[in-house]
Amino acid sequence: PPFEVLVVPACQPRTKPKACNFGLCRATGELLVVFDAEDRPERDQLKKAAAAFARAPAECICLQAPLNFYNRDRNLLTRLFTTEYSAWFDYCLPGLSSLDAPIPLGGTSNHFRAAVLRDLRGWDPYNVTEDCDLGIRLYIGGYRVRLLQTTTWEEATFRLLPWIRQRSRWVKGYIQTYLVHLRQHGTLRRSMGFQRTLHFHFLFGASFFCLLMNPFYWILSALWIAARPLWLAQLFPPLIVLPALIAFLAGNAAFVLSAMLGCLQRRYYHLIPYCLLIPFYWVLMSIGAWKGALQLATRPFYWEKTPHQGTAVLEKTP
């Protein structure tokens, strides 16, 4: 007590958003929150959410709590994963919020005003990143997402193959979300405005496109350094190579710096040197992206479950 276990019917699609919709149908409270099974939210998170909603304007119908990991020092993969999450939830999402841009929700620790969520018909049961899709639908509907100053601790995926499967599902869902909303681009443009529509294209479209294109650019770079074939030199004359090199160095430095700042914000000082390895981490991200893109064509609604150890102990956090 006071929890009720709800068994979701074993029929297609067998996805988390379908389960969330069943929960929404049975929910009776004014506020609703989604947690994953392995989550360890801070003890006062629900009270902070209720207090924040009481002070928030009516258009704020969702509060997103930052996510981080309690097993961040398990191995190299979890350390790099932690640097990514620290930059995303502690810097990128607050930045998007300050720009009044559409925010892709995290998959957990989303606090909602339940009545508005019902009006929006809940989650898309066929989208494997239902959180990302819902973030755009909220914005199109005139609602806003704000960040909640409390952390939910999760278990980072610490084995390579499960990590790639998890990442492939995320990228597949981003592609799904982008294509679904692109079908009504005129409506998107009218409801979001020109600048916010650009945010949508750069954040949701360019994210997966860059991950898919990265291997080709890495191959071209290796060829340029090793052999400089004539055809490649003709494609990239000095007027293109120089600004491309500047963009390459500045862009990589910006990503590495944001990860370092995220670790600094969290006082993960020992993880700051690992941020220099992030370019190698992107290789894994591209592998996962290609797996997700190919699976979109063959199994678009298949939910690749992420295994969790389930016995992790919450570490002391600052």
Side-chain angles (χ1 to χ4, degrees):
F3 298 101
E4 174 189 358
V5 177
L6 178 63
V7 180
V8 180
C11 58
Q12 296 297 332
R14 304 189 70 165
T15 60
K16 174 183 172 181
K18 188 187 79 171
C20 288
N21 284 335
F22 272 85
L24 179 62
C25 291
R26 296 292 293 270
T28 58
E30 178 183 344
L31 303 178
L32 180 144
V33 62
V34 176
F35 289 123
D36 285 344
E38 86 281 4
D39 284 358
R40 304 290 189 273
E42 291 185 353
R43 292 173 181 266
D44 60 350
Q45 185 174 128
L46 297 182
K47 291 183 178 179
K48 284 185 175 180
F53 274 125
R55 299 190 301 266
E59 64 268 18
C60 175
I61 69 123
C62 178
L63 298 172
Q64 171 68 64
L67 308 178
N68 217 283
F69 298 123
Y70 49 69
N71 65 331
R72 54 187 171 272
D73 290 318
R74 174 75 183 251
N75 56 26
L76 178 60
L77 184 59
T78 60
R79 291 185 179 99
L80 292 173
F81 207 173
T82 301
T83 65
E84 178 191 7
Y85 258 42
S86 299
W88 179 248
F89 284 101
D90 296 337
Y91 274 89
C92 294
L93 291 190
L96 291 172
S97 178
S98 68
L99 292 172
D100 192 34
I103 294 178
L105 301 178
T108 179
S109 295
N110 317 134
H111 300 258
F112 297 99
R113 300 187 196 269
V116 179
L117 187 58
R118 288 191 183 93
D119 290 341
L120 291 170
R121 303 180 68 179
W123 293 265
D124 178 358
Y126 289 94
N127 193 310
V128 295
T129 52
E130 77 296 336
D131 41 6
C132 172
D133 171 74
L134 184 57
I136 299 177
R137 287 167 48 215
L138 291 176
Y139 196 94
I140 293 174
Y143 302 108
R144 294 297 179 265
V145 177
R146 294 292 179 260
L147 277 297
L148 188 63
Q149 297 304 310
T150 176
T151 300
T152 293
W153 305 97
E154 292 197 304
E155 183 183 59
T157 306
F158 55 87
R159 293 192 295 270
L160 182 59
L161 292 182
W163 186 94
I164 290 175
R165 287 196 295 269
Q166 182 186 59
R167 186 64 51 147
S168 71
R169 174 171 59 81
W170 290 356
V171 174
K172 181 171 70 171
Y174 259 65
I175 302 174
Q176 282 179 325
T177 300
Y178 186 70
L179 294 179
V180 163
H181 291 283
L182 205 61
R183 293 184 303 184
Q184 303 181 31
H185 192 267
T187 303
L188 197 72
R189 168 70 176 81
R190 288 190 296 272
S191 60
M192 298 177 64
F194 178 74
Q195 184 177 354
R196 304 298 176 256
T197 304
L198 285 181
H199 281 143
F200 165 76
H201 288 299
F202 286 135
L203 182 62
F204 297 91
S207 294
F208 72 80
F209 180 77
C210 289
L211 289 175
L212 294 176
M213 292 303 297
N214 270 343
F216 298 104
Y217 284 109
W218 293 332
I219 292 171
L220 288 176
S221 299
L223 283 174
W224 176 264
I225 294 172
R228 292 198 182 184
L230 180 60
W231 63 269
L232 189 57
Q234 292 173 342
L235 286 176
F236 296 96
L239 287 178
I240 294 179
V241 169
L242 183 59
L245 181 61
I246 294 173
F248 169 76
L249 296 175
N252 280 271
F255 275 109
V256 171
L257 179 60
S258 65
M260 288 181 171
L261 290 173
C263 293
L264 191 64
Q265 175 81 6
R266 288 277 173 181
R267 300 182 183 178
Y268 298 161
Y269 304 123
H270 66 293
L271 294 184
I272 291 177
Y274 289 94
C275 296
L276 298 174
L277 300 177
I278 284 178
F280 299 100
Y281 183 65
W282 292 337
V283 175
L284 300 180
M285 294 173 69
S286 286
I287 294 172
W290 271 104
K291 182 177 182 297
L294 294 174
Q295 194 180 81
L296 181 65
T298 57
R299 306 177 75 183
F301 314 126
Y302 175 64
W303 188 281
E304 297 224 56
K305 292 185 178 181
T306 303
H308 291 285
Q309 194 173 29
T311 58
V313 178
L314 181 61
E315 298 178 1
K316 293 180 66 177
T317 55

